[in-house]
Amino acid sequence: MPLTMMDTGVETTVKSIRGKDQTRQFLQNLGFVEGAKVSVVSSLAGNLIVSVKDTRVAISQKMASRIMV
């Protein structure tokens, strides 16, 4: 299930990252690696603020849809 489908405040684990190599590398540099604990802090117009590795990161809906949880 993509990260965009997660409810706010629920912690889950990253299962995989989909997309081109450049996109996957970008998300991995932000901390979205397999096995990382993530939770959606808030959602506004499809864009998400996500807590990953004790850091809050804002990502677009398009990027969030590539993160499978």
Side-chain angles (χ1 to χ4, degrees):
M1 166 170 68
L3 185 60
T4 55
M5 302 294 290
M6 289 300 302
D7 292 329
T8 303
V10 177
E11 187 176 67
T12 188
T13 305
V14 175
K15 303 264 192 269
S16 66
I17 306 291
R18 296 188 178 167
K20 295 181 181 178
D21 288 340
Q22 185 177 9
T23 303
R24 288 198 325 263
Q25 185 63 44
F26 174 75
L27 290 170
Q28 288 172 352
N29 288 339
L30 290 176
F32 296 98
V33 294
E34 291 182 20
K37 301 285 185 190
V38 297
S39 64
V40 176
V41 176
S42 69
S43 175
L44 180 63
N47 299 322
L48 303 175
I49 297 178
V50 182
S51 176
V52 59
K53 294 189 175 184
D54 298 326
T55 304
R56 290 184 177 186
V57 180
I59 56 175
S60 68
Q61 182 179 13
K62 185 176 179 182
M63 284 293 182
S65 67
R66 289 168 169 45
I67 301 168
M68 297 296 139
V69 294

